[in-house]
Every structure is written in structure tokens, then in C-alpha cells.
Amino acid sequence: MQQKLLIYNTLTRSKETFKPIHEGMVGMYVCGPTVYSDVHLGNSRTFISFDLIFRYFLHLGYKVRYVRNITDAGHLEGDRDEGDDKFAKKAKLEQLEPMEIVQKYTLGFHDVMRHFNTLPPSIEPTATGHICEQIEMIKNIIEKGFAYVKNGSVYFDVEKYNKEYPYGQLTNRKLDELLEGTRELGGQDEKKGRLDFALWIVAKPETLMKWPSPWGLGFPGWHIECSAMSSKYLGETFDIHGGGMDLQATHHTNEIAQSQACNHKAPVNYWMHTNMLTVNGVRMSKSAGNGFLPGELFSGNHPLLEKGYSPMAVKFFMLQSHYRSTLDFSNEALQASEKGFAKLITSINTLEKLKPSSTSGISLNEIEKACYEAMNDDFNSPILIANLFEAASIINSANDGKTALTENDINGLKKLMNNFVFDVLGLKSENSSITTDKALNGVMEMILDIRKDIKSKKDFAASDKLRDDLSKINILIKDTKDGAIWTIQE
Ligand code: AMP
Ligand code: ZN
């Protein structure tokens, strides 16, 4: 906790020394998933990045209250408070209750997070569980004069707000510029101003998820849930608010406006935004249809994948880039990460069998210092990993008898690897296609040979049955142009 930690603050566009509001404590809120469909690898990248940040604060000895919400209501398709409710649409499609959709995809999200070995947040509040708090906050904003009621809906008055506070501060834009980029209001619009956004939306007869309010039956706008839940659990001003960069211009800008209008103070000291995971340069998103599901990645069952990759290899691939850089998905990069991760784990195992010398050929302090410096410079995980590779090279060189390590050095390296590889990066050894179990590798080789034989005799039913039977015991077979490969699904 004595360390000087620099955090890049999106609001000030600079790195600042972290000073918590309460000594030794961190309050952090991260916008969680919208659970009307599966989380894809892009969403996972954002949550893995904040898991790294959460873990590093814990490692430094801070007490952290990490709140990550679940958006389970009030999410319309457009950014302009129009279109269908995504939950209702999906519920109709799958012939389920909206809350069955919520349950299904929340469980799926937790499953993905568990595969990636992320720590659960301290609190995981849901929008539907905090309707009262949202209504109270909307009432407060109306009382303060920054919102108006129209036909059972409530809208935030952006132009009025901007007379007192800079509305576009998070993206460093003036109101005029923002207005220029927004389409004119039509005759049908209830909004007074082009940038106004809904706090509460009146229910239509067909609306499935609706609640009573002082303005009639309806449901909350998307942005108000995060303002209501973050202030409830972390206070009117808290330390860190995070999410993906795509949330900066609208969702987070509106969150600031809502909280500032209510409490007359800035809600957050450090705004942190993760950059996007892209595929061939295009942002991975549900709407672009280029979103791999983590399960597809683990099994290799996707046309863009040459093979399956284990959760830790994928996590390592993500951690090898800084959270503020874009990260482009490719099979080559994943295969390189798979090897790099295996190298790191092998070196940790090698540590167990090293024989100590009486002299030391390394400076353990320097390596440790370099690891902390990397993380203290805005959580720079790629530099941290480069330093851990240095440590792995030292271990391998000691194993080859080329570098002398004392017992103290060996114990120090064990502690260093344990702290940074397992506690901070949140990696773990795993069973996968890189299993070192020779017997299993041998048996699988035999089975794949038998299957090849069956296929060459065109008995496809038998070869498919063999594949399906193996998948029942979590061994996944994938046919590639170079032959069949197998992975163990965790
Ligand atoms: P959603 O479920 O769409 O509300 O997104 C959940 C989180 O994932 C948000 O913080 C988004 O900013 C983030 N996110 C969405 N797409 C990507 C992507 N391609 N790369 C990284 N983060 C993303
Ligand atoms: Zn949010």
C-alpha cells in the first residue's frame, strides 16, 4: 500500500497518482453485462481487465468493495430510447419469461467468468432489484429541475444541465459539437432537446417488464440503474468507475449528468475505460455477428478457429496487451500465447526441482522491483509478463547449470511467481490439450487413428458417434485440414 500507483483517468486524460477517498480502501464500480444473450470474448476482455485491477489492489493490501452490476431490464435496442426491449424480444423468440432469459444468461456469464478464473465481485446488484432506488433518484432529479415528465415518461434535460455543468466532459466535447452529431427531433418526439435521454419510459400495452411509479406503469432507462446502484453501495462520490470504451460517450456521460444533477458533486474520481477486442480490425460485438463465445473458443468449434484454446491460454493472450490498447484476435497470436503460457508454467514447475548453490548470480530485488513498477504504471500487464519471462529464463538457465541460485533466490522466485502469475494475473495451471499426461496423450492418439480409419471407410455415422461419445466425457474432437485434434473441456 506504500506504493505510488498511477492510474490513467479518462476524465482528465492523464495519469494520476491514486489517492483513495478512505485510507486503505477502494470503491470500484464496473458496468456489467446485459444478460439478454451470451457474453462474447470482447465483453470477457473488459471483465478480465477489471479483474486484474481488482486483484492488484487486493495484492497491495487494500480492502476493495467491487460492485459489478447485471443489466436485466430497460435496455432498448437503439441509443435513442426507441426500439424494442431486448429482453422482451428475446423472451418472445425463445418462448420464455423475460426473467428466464435473465437467469439463463446470468448463469452463462458466471460460468464464463469461472472458466477465466476471475474473482467474483463483492456485490453484483441487478437493475430489476433496484427499481425503488431508481425511482427515488429520478424524483430527486426532477425536484432539482433537471428532468421533465411527458406522457408518463421522464426525460433528462441536457441543455439545461449543460448551463451549470459541462455535459460532454468525459469525451472532451462541447455541447455544440455533440448537437451537430445528433439527428433533429421529429414531430412525434416527446423530448425537448435532441440530446435529452429517458430516465423512465412509459409502458406500452405489450411491455412485459414494467413497474408502478409516480408517473404510471413503466420501466427505467438504462443509464439510471448504474447511478442508483453505484451511489447506494459506494456513496455519492467513489474512487473508480470502469467499463468498455464504447460506454464513454453515452452511458457514462449520462451517469455523470444524473449523479451530478442529484447530488451537486462529481460521482467518480477516476474513470477507467478498457479498449476493444477486435477481429480483423472490426470491434467484436453482438450486432456485428463476429462475437466468438468463449465456449466456441475453448472447443475450437467456429469457422474462424484453427483449433480450440484453453481458457488460460486465452486469458494470457488478453493480459499480454495493455487494457487501454486494442487487441486484435488471430489464431497466430493465440498460438503464441499458448506457448508463452506453457513456458511460464513449466518454469514454475522447474523451480521445485532446482538444487540451491552457495552463491547467487542474480538480483532478485531488481526483478521484483521491475514487476511492481510495471503494475504501478497504470496496470501494465504486458511489461509485467515480459519481466516474468525474464524470471523464467533465469530459472531455465539455473536448471541448465548456467546460473547460480541460492536457496533464498529460489524461495524468492517461488514467491514472486506465485504473487504475480497466480494472485495478480489470476492464471492457474490447467489440464488441456497441453496436458503432460503421457498415458492420456497415447490413448487419444490411438483413438484418433481408429477414427481416421473408420472415416476412410466412409462410415461417418460411426466416426460421429465416437466424437459425440467423447464429448460426453468432456473430450472435444475437432477436424482440421491437418487432421483431427482434441482438447479437454474444463
Ligand atoms: P454489454 O453486455 O454489451 O453491455 O457489454 C458488457 C461490457 O463489455 C461493457 O463494459 C462493454 O463496454 C464491454 N464490451 C463490449 N464489446 C467489447 C469488445 N469488443 N471489447 C472489449 N469490451 C467490450
Ligand atoms: Zn453502467
Side-chain angles (χ1 to χ4, degrees), residues 68-101:
R68 188 184 65 206
N69 70 302
I70 295 276
T71 295
D72 61 350
H75 212 302
L76 300 184
E77 280 184 315
D79 246 358
R80 293 181 50 87
D81 308 318
E82 296 156 0
D84 288 335
D85 180 315
K86 286 173 174 165
F87 293 93
K89 199 169 173 188
K90 199 61 182 275
K92 271 184 218 146
L93 203 70
E94 296 195 16
Q95 296 189 317
L96 295 171
E97 270 291 311
M99 284 316 272
E100 283 181 289
I101 296 290

PDB file of all heavy atoms in Angstrom, residues 68-101:
ATOM      1  N   ARG A  68     -20.157  -4.913  -9.453  1.00  0.00           N
ATOM      2  CA  ARG A  68     -20.341  -5.107 -10.907  1.00  0.00           C
ATOM      3  C   ARG A  68     -21.796  -5.520 -11.120  1.00  0.00           C
ATOM      4  O   ARG A  68     -22.224  -6.563 -10.629  1.00  0.00           O
ATOM      5  CB  ARG A  68     -19.383  -6.193 -11.412  1.00  0.00           C
ATOM      6  CG  ARG A  68     -19.378  -6.327 -12.936  1.00  0.00           C
ATOM      7  CD  ARG A  68     -18.487  -7.479 -13.390  1.00  0.00           C
ATOM      8  NE  ARG A  68     -19.016  -8.742 -12.932  1.00  0.00           N
ATOM      9  CZ  ARG A  68     -18.275  -9.851 -12.720  1.00  0.00           C
ATOM     10  NH1 ARG A  68     -16.981  -9.830 -12.910  1.00  0.00           N
ATOM     11  NH2 ARG A  68     -18.844 -10.959 -12.312  1.00  0.00           N
ATOM     12  N   ASN A  69     -22.527  -4.676 -11.830  1.00  0.00           N
ATOM     13  CA  ASN A  69     -23.974  -4.917 -11.916  1.00  0.00           C
ATOM     14  C   ASN A  69     -24.339  -5.907 -13.014  1.00  0.00           C
ATOM     15  O   ASN A  69     -23.532  -6.266 -13.859  1.00  0.00           O
ATOM     16  CB  ASN A  69     -24.696  -3.594 -12.172  1.00  0.00           C
ATOM     17  CG  ASN A  69     -24.424  -3.092 -13.565  1.00  0.00           C
ATOM     18  OD1 ASN A  69     -23.281  -2.874 -13.944  1.00  0.00           O
ATOM     19  ND2 ASN A  69     -25.460  -2.948 -14.356  1.00  0.00           N
ATOM     20  N   ILE A  70     -25.584  -6.315 -12.963  1.00  0.00           N
ATOM     21  CA  ILE A  70     -26.182  -7.120 -14.032  1.00  0.00           C
ATOM     22  C   ILE A  70     -27.320  -6.273 -14.605  1.00  0.00           C
ATOM     23  O   ILE A  70     -28.230  -5.882 -13.877  1.00  0.00           O
ATOM     24  CB  ILE A  70     -26.764  -8.434 -13.455  1.00  0.00           C
ATOM     25  CG1 ILE A  70     -25.660  -9.343 -12.890  1.00  0.00           C
ATOM     26  CG2 ILE A  70     -27.634  -9.159 -14.472  1.00  0.00           C
ATOM     27  CD1 ILE A  70     -24.946 -10.220 -13.879  1.00  0.00           C
ATOM     28  N   THR A  71     -27.245  -5.957 -15.901  1.00  0.00           N
ATOM     29  CA  THR A  71     -28.324  -5.208 -16.534  1.00  0.00           C
ATOM     30  C   THR A  71     -29.374  -6.203 -16.997  1.00  0.00           C
ATOM     31  O   THR A  71     -29.131  -6.990 -17.913  1.00  0.00           O
ATOM     32  CB  THR A  71     -27.785  -4.372 -17.718  1.00  0.00           C
ATOM     33  OG1 THR A  71     -26.903  -3.390 -17.198  1.00  0.00           O
ATOM     34  CG2 THR A  71     -28.903  -3.673 -18.466  1.00  0.00           C
ATOM     35  N   ASP A  72     -30.520  -6.184 -16.308  1.00  0.00           N
ATOM     36  CA  ASP A  72     -31.552  -7.172 -16.636  1.00  0.00           C
ATOM     37  C   ASP A  72     -32.894  -6.524 -16.926  1.00  0.00           C
ATOM     38  O   ASP A  72     -33.921  -7.185 -16.872  1.00  0.00           O
ATOM     39  CB  ASP A  72     -31.672  -8.218 -15.510  1.00  0.00           C
ATOM     40  CG  ASP A  72     -32.067  -7.604 -14.184  1.00  0.00           C
ATOM     41  OD1 ASP A  72     -32.069  -6.361 -14.093  1.00  0.00           O
ATOM     42  OD2 ASP A  72     -32.385  -8.348 -13.244  1.00  0.00           O
ATOM     43  N   ALA A  73     -32.885  -5.220 -17.236  1.00  0.00           N
ATOM     44  CA  ALA A  73     -34.134  -4.552 -17.608  1.00  0.00           C
ATOM     45  C   ALA A  73     -33.811  -3.256 -18.323  1.00  0.00           C
ATOM     46  O   ALA A  73     -32.701  -2.734 -18.226  1.00  0.00           O
ATOM     47  CB  ALA A  73     -34.951  -4.214 -16.359  1.00  0.00           C
ATOM     48  N   GLY A  74     -34.807  -2.762 -19.036  1.00  0.00           N
ATOM     49  CA  GLY A  74     -34.723  -1.391 -19.557  1.00  0.00           C
ATOM     50  C   GLY A  74     -33.666  -1.166 -20.610  1.00  0.00           C
ATOM     51  O   GLY A  74     -33.139  -0.066 -20.741  1.00  0.00           O
ATOM     52  N   HIS A  75     -33.341  -2.189 -21.376  1.00  0.00           N
ATOM     53  CA  HIS A  75     -32.311  -1.982 -22.381  1.00  0.00           C
ATOM     54  C   HIS A  75     -32.952  -2.017 -23.760  1.00  0.00           C
ATOM     55  O   HIS A  75     -33.210  -3.081 -24.303  1.00  0.00           O
ATOM     56  CB  HIS A  75     -31.239  -3.065 -22.233  1.00  0.00           C
ATOM     57  CG  HIS A  75     -29.892  -2.572 -22.618  1.00  0.00           C
ATOM     58  ND1 HIS A  75     -29.624  -2.068 -23.849  1.00  0.00           N
ATOM     59  CD2 HIS A  75     -28.727  -2.495 -21.923  1.00  0.00           C
ATOM     60  CE1 HIS A  75     -28.359  -1.714 -23.904  1.00  0.00           C
ATOM     61  NE2 HIS A  75     -27.793  -1.953 -22.743  1.00  0.00           N
ATOM     62  N   LEU A  76     -33.198  -0.831 -24.326  1.00  0.00           N
ATOM     63  CA  LEU A  76     -33.820  -0.776 -25.641  1.00  0.00           C
ATOM     64  C   LEU A  76     -32.764  -0.938 -26.721  1.00  0.00           C
ATOM     65  O   LEU A  76     -31.573  -0.760 -26.475  1.00  0.00           O
ATOM     66  CB  LEU A  76     -34.566   0.554 -25.817  1.00  0.00           C
ATOM     67  CG  LEU A  76     -35.689   0.796 -24.796  1.00  0.00           C
ATOM     68  CD1 LEU A  76     -36.420   2.083 -25.121  1.00  0.00           C
ATOM     69  CD2 LEU A  76     -36.674  -0.364 -24.775  1.00  0.00           C
ATOM     70  N   GLU A  77     -33.220  -1.253 -27.923  1.00  0.00           N
ATOM     71  CA  GLU A  77     -32.252  -1.573 -28.981  1.00  0.00           C
ATOM     72  C   GLU A  77     -31.442  -0.387 -29.470  1.00  0.00           C
ATOM     73  O   GLU A  77     -30.256  -0.498 -29.726  1.00  0.00           O
ATOM     74  CB  GLU A  77     -32.967  -2.239 -30.150  1.00  0.00           C
ATOM     75  CG  GLU A  77     -33.205  -3.701 -29.838  1.00  0.00           C
ATOM     76  CD  GLU A  77     -33.825  -4.445 -30.980  1.00  0.00           C
ATOM     77  OE1 GLU A  77     -34.765  -3.898 -31.569  1.00  0.00           O
ATOM     78  OE2 GLU A  77     -33.386  -5.557 -31.264  1.00  0.00           O
ATOM     79  N   GLY A  78     -32.080   0.788 -29.570  1.00  0.00           N
ATOM     80  CA  GLY A  78     -31.333   1.956 -30.052  1.00  0.00           C
ATOM     81  C   GLY A  78     -30.743   2.728 -28.893  1.00  0.00           C
ATOM     82  O   GLY A  78     -31.082   2.487 -27.744  1.00  0.00           O
ATOM     83  N   ASP A  79     -29.846   3.674 -29.221  1.00  0.00           N
ATOM     84  CA  ASP A  79     -29.288   4.541 -28.183  1.00  0.00           C
ATOM     85  C   ASP A  79     -30.244   5.703 -27.902  1.00  0.00           C
ATOM     86  O   ASP A  79     -29.987   6.531 -27.067  1.00  0.00           O
ATOM     87  CB  ASP A  79     -27.942   5.110 -28.678  1.00  0.00           C
ATOM     88  CG  ASP A  79     -26.791   4.590 -27.835  1.00  0.00           C
ATOM     89  OD1 ASP A  79     -27.073   3.852 -26.881  1.00  0.00           O
ATOM     90  OD2 ASP A  79     -25.642   4.939 -28.132  1.00  0.00           O
ATOM     91  N   ARG A  80     -31.349   5.792 -28.673  1.00  0.00           N
ATOM     92  CA  ARG A  80     -32.208   6.972 -28.589  1.00  0.00           C
ATOM     93  C   ARG A  80     -33.541   6.673 -27.900  1.00  0.00           C
ATOM     94  O   ARG A  80     -34.560   7.270 -28.208  1.00  0.00           O
ATOM     95  CB  ARG A  80     -32.458   7.535 -29.989  1.00  0.00           C
ATOM     96  CG  ARG A  80     -31.192   8.111 -30.619  1.00  0.00           C
ATOM     97  CD  ARG A  80     -31.486   8.682 -31.993  1.00  0.00           C
ATOM     98  NE  ARG A  80     -32.631   9.586 -31.996  1.00  0.00           N
ATOM     99  CZ  ARG A  80     -32.556  10.877 -31.728  1.00  0.00           C
ATOM    100  NH1 ARG A  80     -31.419  11.417 -31.423  1.00  0.00           N
ATOM    101  NH2 ARG A  80     -33.655  11.613 -31.765  1.00  0.00           N
ATOM    102  N   ASP A  81     -33.517   5.709 -27.001  1.00  0.00           N
ATOM    103  CA  ASP A  81     -34.724   5.360 -26.239  1.00  0.00           C
ATOM    104  C   ASP A  81     -35.866   4.927 -27.152  1.00  0.00           C
ATOM    105  O   ASP A  81     -37.031   5.220 -26.917  1.00  0.00           O
ATOM    106  CB  ASP A  81     -35.192   6.537 -25.361  1.00  0.00           C
ATOM    107  CG  ASP A  81     -34.064   7.077 -24.509  1.00  0.00           C
ATOM    108  OD1 ASP A  81     -33.319   6.251 -23.970  1.00  0.00           O
ATOM    109  OD2 ASP A  81     -33.925   8.295 -24.411  1.00  0.00           O
ATOM    110  N   GLU A  82     -35.520   4.295 -28.259  1.00  0.00           N
ATOM    111  CA  GLU A  82     -36.546   3.779 -29.163  1.00  0.00           C
ATOM    112  C   GLU A  82     -36.274   2.296 -29.369  1.00  0.00           C
ATOM    113  O   GLU A  82     -35.278   1.780 -28.893  1.00  0.00           O
ATOM    114  CB  GLU A  82     -36.447   4.459 -30.544  1.00  0.00           C
ATOM    115  CG  GLU A  82     -36.725   5.936 -30.509  1.00  0.00           C
ATOM    116  CD  GLU A  82     -36.079   6.648 -31.689  1.00  0.00           C
ATOM    117  OE1 GLU A  82     -35.425   5.979 -32.508  1.00  0.00           O
ATOM    118  OE2 GLU A  82     -36.232   7.871 -31.750  1.00  0.00           O
ATOM    119  N   GLY A  83     -37.141   1.668 -30.136  1.00  0.00           N
ATOM    120  CA  GLY A  83     -36.908   0.253 -30.472  1.00  0.00           C
ATOM    121  C   GLY A  83     -37.433  -0.661 -29.393  1.00  0.00           C
ATOM    122  O   GLY A  83     -37.970  -0.224 -28.375  1.00  0.00           O
ATOM    123  N   ASP A  84     -37.239  -1.970 -29.641  1.00  0.00           N
ATOM    124  CA  ASP A  84     -37.790  -2.972 -28.722  1.00  0.00           C
ATOM    125  C   ASP A  84     -36.921  -3.134 -27.501  1.00  0.00           C
ATOM    126  O   ASP A  84     -35.719  -2.888 -27.530  1.00  0.00           O
ATOM    127  CB  ASP A  84     -37.848  -4.323 -29.426  1.00  0.00           C
ATOM    128  CG  ASP A  84     -38.938  -4.351 -30.476  1.00  0.00           C
ATOM    129  OD1 ASP A  84     -39.895  -3.574 -30.328  1.00  0.00           O
ATOM    130  OD2 ASP A  84     -38.807  -5.133 -31.440  1.00  0.00           O
ATOM    131  N   ASP A  85     -37.552  -3.607 -26.430  1.00  0.00           N
ATOM    132  CA  ASP A  85     -36.803  -4.010 -25.247  1.00  0.00           C
ATOM    133  C   ASP A  85     -36.104  -5.329 -25.606  1.00  0.00           C
ATOM    134  O   ASP A  85     -36.752  -6.281 -26.052  1.00  0.00           O
ATOM    135  CB  ASP A  85     -37.801  -4.206 -24.093  1.00  0.00           C
ATOM    136  CG  ASP A  85     -37.109  -4.617 -22.819  1.00  0.00           C
ATOM    137  OD1 ASP A  85     -36.231  -5.495 -22.888  1.00  0.00           O
ATOM    138  OD2 ASP A  85     -37.453  -4.075 -21.765  1.00  0.00           O
ATOM    139  N   LYS A  86     -34.782  -5.360 -25.421  1.00  0.00           N
ATOM    140  CA  LYS A  86     -34.019  -6.538 -25.855  1.00  0.00           C
ATOM    141  C   LYS A  86     -34.451  -7.805 -25.119  1.00  0.00           C
ATOM    142  O   LYS A  86     -34.428  -8.892 -25.669  1.00  0.00           O
ATOM    143  CB  LYS A  86     -32.531  -6.300 -25.615  1.00  0.00           C
ATOM    144  CG  LYS A  86     -31.926  -5.327 -26.610  1.00  0.00           C
ATOM    145  CD  LYS A  86     -30.507  -5.010 -26.219  1.00  0.00           C
ATOM    146  CE  LYS A  86     -29.822  -4.153 -27.250  1.00  0.00           C
ATOM    147  NZ  LYS A  86     -28.589  -3.552 -26.760  1.00  0.00           N
ATOM    148  N   PHE A  87     -34.823  -7.640 -23.849  1.00  0.00           N
ATOM    149  CA  PHE A  87     -35.215  -8.819 -23.052  1.00  0.00           C
ATOM    150  C   PHE A  87     -36.546  -9.371 -23.541  1.00  0.00           C
ATOM    151  O   PHE A  87     -36.711 -10.574 -23.698  1.00  0.00           O
ATOM    152  CB  PHE A  87     -35.304  -8.466 -21.565  1.00  0.00           C
ATOM    153  CG  PHE A  87     -33.966  -8.145 -20.998  1.00  0.00           C
ATOM    154  CD1 PHE A  87     -33.510  -6.838 -20.944  1.00  0.00           C
ATOM    155  CD2 PHE A  87     -33.125  -9.152 -20.551  1.00  0.00           C
ATOM    156  CE1 PHE A  87     -32.263  -6.535 -20.455  1.00  0.00           C
ATOM    157  CE2 PHE A  87     -31.875  -8.865 -20.061  1.00  0.00           C
ATOM    158  CZ  PHE A  87     -31.436  -7.548 -20.013  1.00  0.00           C
ATOM    159  N   ALA A  88     -37.497  -8.443 -23.802  1.00  0.00           N
ATOM    160  CA  ALA A  88     -38.820  -8.875 -24.237  1.00  0.00           C
ATOM    161  C   ALA A  88     -38.718  -9.550 -25.600  1.00  0.00           C
ATOM    162  O   ALA A  88     -39.349 -10.583 -25.851  1.00  0.00           O
ATOM    163  CB  ALA A  88     -39.744  -7.670 -24.305  1.00  0.00           C
ATOM    164  N   LYS A  89     -37.882  -8.980 -26.471  1.00  0.00           N
ATOM    165  CA  LYS A  89     -37.731  -9.525 -27.816  1.00  0.00           C
ATOM    166  C   LYS A  89     -37.185 -10.963 -27.750  1.00  0.00           C
ATOM    167  O   LYS A  89     -37.693 -11.863 -28.403  1.00  0.00           O
ATOM    168  CB  LYS A  89     -36.766  -8.630 -28.590  1.00  0.00           C
ATOM    169  CG  LYS A  89     -36.864  -8.806 -30.067  1.00  0.00           C
ATOM    170  CD  LYS A  89     -36.103  -7.738 -30.790  1.00  0.00           C
ATOM    171  CE  LYS A  89     -36.086  -8.076 -32.272  1.00  0.00           C
ATOM    172  NZ  LYS A  89     -35.222  -7.206 -33.021  1.00  0.00           N
ATOM    173  N   LYS A  90     -36.156 -11.121 -26.928  1.00  0.00           N
ATOM    174  CA  LYS A  90     -35.539 -12.443 -26.791  1.00  0.00           C
ATOM    175  C   LYS A  90     -36.510 -13.423 -26.122  1.00  0.00           C
ATOM    176  O   LYS A  90     -36.565 -14.591 -26.483  1.00  0.00           O
ATOM    177  CB  LYS A  90     -34.265 -12.297 -25.964  1.00  0.00           C
ATOM    178  CG  LYS A  90     -33.261 -13.429 -26.081  1.00  0.00           C
ATOM    179  CD  LYS A  90     -32.755 -13.598 -27.491  1.00  0.00           C
ATOM    180  CE  LYS A  90     -31.787 -14.735 -27.656  1.00  0.00           C
ATOM    181  NZ  LYS A  90     -30.431 -14.406 -27.345  1.00  0.00           N
ATOM    182  N   ALA A  91     -37.276 -12.918 -25.164  1.00  0.00           N
ATOM    183  CA  ALA A  91     -38.221 -13.777 -24.456  1.00  0.00           C
ATOM    184  C   ALA A  91     -39.263 -14.326 -25.440  1.00  0.00           C
ATOM    185  O   ALA A  91     -39.596 -15.512 -25.409  1.00  0.00           O
ATOM    186  CB  ALA A  91     -38.901 -12.999 -23.333  1.00  0.00           C
ATOM    187  N   LYS A  92     -39.733 -13.449 -26.332  1.00  0.00           N
ATOM    188  CA  LYS A  92     -40.716 -13.890 -27.332  1.00  0.00           C
ATOM    189  C   LYS A  92     -40.089 -14.936 -28.248  1.00  0.00           C
ATOM    190  O   LYS A  92     -40.671 -15.976 -28.542  1.00  0.00           O
ATOM    191  CB  LYS A  92     -41.189 -12.684 -28.165  1.00  0.00           C
ATOM    192  CG  LYS A  92     -42.397 -11.994 -27.535  1.00  0.00           C
ATOM    193  CD  LYS A  92     -42.901 -10.871 -28.421  1.00  0.00           C
ATOM    194  CE  LYS A  92     -43.336  -9.702 -27.558  1.00  0.00           C
ATOM    195  NZ  LYS A  92     -43.110  -8.400 -28.136  1.00  0.00           N
ATOM    196  N   LEU A  93     -38.868 -14.640 -28.673  1.00  0.00           N
ATOM    197  CA  LEU A  93     -38.157 -15.530 -29.598  1.00  0.00           C
ATOM    198  C   LEU A  93     -37.942 -16.908 -28.999  1.00  0.00           C
ATOM    199  O   LEU A  93     -38.131 -17.930 -29.651  1.00  0.00           O
ATOM    200  CB  LEU A  93     -36.802 -14.882 -29.912  1.00  0.00           C
ATOM    201  CG  LEU A  93     -36.106 -15.282 -31.183  1.00  0.00           C
ATOM    202  CD1 LEU A  93     -36.872 -14.710 -32.372  1.00  0.00           C
ATOM    203  CD2 LEU A  93     -34.668 -14.731 -31.184  1.00  0.00           C
ATOM    204  N   GLU A  94     -37.548 -16.953 -27.751  1.00  0.00           N
ATOM    205  CA  GLU A  94     -37.230 -18.247 -27.121  1.00  0.00           C
ATOM    206  C   GLU A  94     -38.426 -18.817 -26.365  1.00  0.00           C
ATOM    207  O   GLU A  94     -38.309 -19.832 -25.685  1.00  0.00           O
ATOM    208  CB  GLU A  94     -36.024 -18.087 -26.169  1.00  0.00           C
ATOM    209  CG  GLU A  94     -34.750 -17.702 -26.906  1.00  0.00           C
ATOM    210  CD  GLU A  94     -33.480 -17.883 -26.085  1.00  0.00           C
ATOM    211  OE1 GLU A  94     -33.520 -18.581 -25.047  1.00  0.00           O
ATOM    212  OE2 GLU A  94     -32.461 -17.317 -26.474  1.00  0.00           O
ATOM    213  N   GLN A  95     -39.566 -18.108 -26.437  1.00  0.00           N
ATOM    214  CA  GLN A  95     -40.789 -18.511 -25.730  1.00  0.00           C
ATOM    215  C   GLN A  95     -40.527 -18.747 -24.244  1.00  0.00           C
ATOM    216  O   GLN A  95     -40.849 -19.807 -23.692  1.00  0.00           O
ATOM    217  CB  GLN A  95     -41.385 -19.751 -26.383  1.00  0.00           C
ATOM    218  CG  GLN A  95     -41.835 -19.450 -27.799  1.00  0.00           C
ATOM    219  CD  GLN A  95     -42.611 -20.581 -28.396  1.00  0.00           C
ATOM    220  OE1 GLN A  95     -42.253 -21.743 -28.252  1.00  0.00           O
ATOM    221  NE2 GLN A  95     -43.693 -20.254 -29.068  1.00  0.00           N
ATOM    222  N   LEU A  96     -39.912 -17.762 -23.641  1.00  0.00           N
ATOM    223  CA  LEU A  96     -39.619 -17.832 -22.208  1.00  0.00           C
ATOM    224  C   LEU A  96     -40.101 -16.551 -21.543  1.00  0.00           C
ATOM    225  O   LEU A  96     -40.354 -15.538 -22.205  1.00  0.00           O
ATOM    226  CB  LEU A  96     -38.098 -17.953 -21.989  1.00  0.00           C
ATOM    227  CG  LEU A  96     -37.396 -19.226 -22.489  1.00  0.00           C
ATOM    228  CD1 LEU A  96     -35.890 -19.058 -22.391  1.00  0.00           C
ATOM    229  CD2 LEU A  96     -37.834 -20.443 -21.677  1.00  0.00           C
ATOM    230  N   GLU A  97     -40.184 -16.577 -20.233  1.00  0.00           N
ATOM    231  CA  GLU A  97     -40.436 -15.377 -19.436  1.00  0.00           C
ATOM    232  C   GLU A  97     -39.179 -14.508 -19.522  1.00  0.00           C
ATOM    233  O   GLU A  97     -38.065 -15.064 -19.529  1.00  0.00           O
ATOM    234  CB  GLU A  97     -40.584 -15.786 -17.961  1.00  0.00           C
ATOM    235  CG  GLU A  97     -41.965 -16.113 -17.516  1.00  0.00           C
ATOM    236  CD  GLU A  97     -42.835 -14.885 -17.479  1.00  0.00           C
ATOM    237  OE1 GLU A  97     -42.425 -13.868 -16.912  1.00  0.00           O
ATOM    238  OE2 GLU A  97     -43.934 -14.964 -18.059  1.00  0.00           O
ATOM    239  N   PRO A  98     -39.299 -13.176 -19.526  1.00  0.00           N
ATOM    240  CA  PRO A  98     -38.070 -12.362 -19.535  1.00  0.00           C
ATOM    241  C   PRO A  98     -37.105 -12.746 -18.404  1.00  0.00           C
ATOM    242  O   PRO A  98     -35.904 -12.815 -18.605  1.00  0.00           O
ATOM    243  CB  PRO A  98     -38.587 -10.935 -19.342  1.00  0.00           C
ATOM    244  CG  PRO A  98     -39.985 -10.965 -19.863  1.00  0.00           C
ATOM    245  CD  PRO A  98     -40.515 -12.351 -19.626  1.00  0.00           C
ATOM    246  N   MET A  99     -37.647 -13.074 -17.214  1.00  0.00           N
ATOM    247  CA  MET A  99     -36.735 -13.418 -16.116  1.00  0.00           C
ATOM    248  C   MET A  99     -36.070 -14.787 -16.316  1.00  0.00           C
ATOM    249  O   MET A  99     -35.044 -15.064 -15.713  1.00  0.00           O
ATOM    250  CB  MET A  99     -37.443 -13.339 -14.750  1.00  0.00           C
ATOM    251  CG  MET A  99     -37.668 -11.924 -14.246  1.00  0.00           C
ATOM    252  SD  MET A  99     -36.284 -10.791 -14.424  1.00  0.00           S
ATOM    253  CE  MET A  99     -35.391 -11.092 -12.918  1.00  0.00           C
ATOM    254  N   GLU A 100     -36.654 -15.619 -17.171  1.00  0.00           N
ATOM    255  CA  GLU A 100     -35.962 -16.877 -17.517  1.00  0.00           C
ATOM    256  C   GLU A 100     -34.758 -16.578 -18.419  1.00  0.00           C
ATOM    257  O   GLU A 100     -33.714 -17.210 -18.309  1.00  0.00           O
ATOM    258  CB  GLU A 100     -36.917 -17.845 -18.241  1.00  0.00           C
ATOM    259  CG  GLU A 100     -37.888 -18.550 -17.313  1.00  0.00           C
ATOM    260  CD  GLU A 100     -38.791 -19.514 -18.082  1.00  0.00           C
ATOM    261  OE1 GLU A 100     -39.676 -19.040 -18.827  1.00  0.00           O
ATOM    262  OE2 GLU A 100     -38.605 -20.732 -17.932  1.00  0.00           O
ATOM    263  N   ILE A 101     -34.949 -15.590 -19.287  1.00  0.00           N
ATOM    264  CA  ILE A 101     -33.830 -15.143 -20.147  1.00  0.00           C
ATOM    265  C   ILE A 101     -32.708 -14.613 -19.247  1.00  0.00           C
ATOM    266  O   ILE A 101     -31.532 -14.970 -19.405  1.00  0.00           O
ATOM    267  CB  ILE A 101     -34.320 -14.015 -21.098  1.00  0.00           C
ATOM    268  CG1 ILE A 101     -35.376 -14.538 -22.043  1.00  0.00           C
ATOM    269  CG2 ILE A 101     -33.163 -13.372 -21.849  1.00  0.00           C
ATOM    270  CD1 ILE A 101     -34.868 -15.480 -23.086  1.00  0.00           C
TER     271      ILE A 101
END
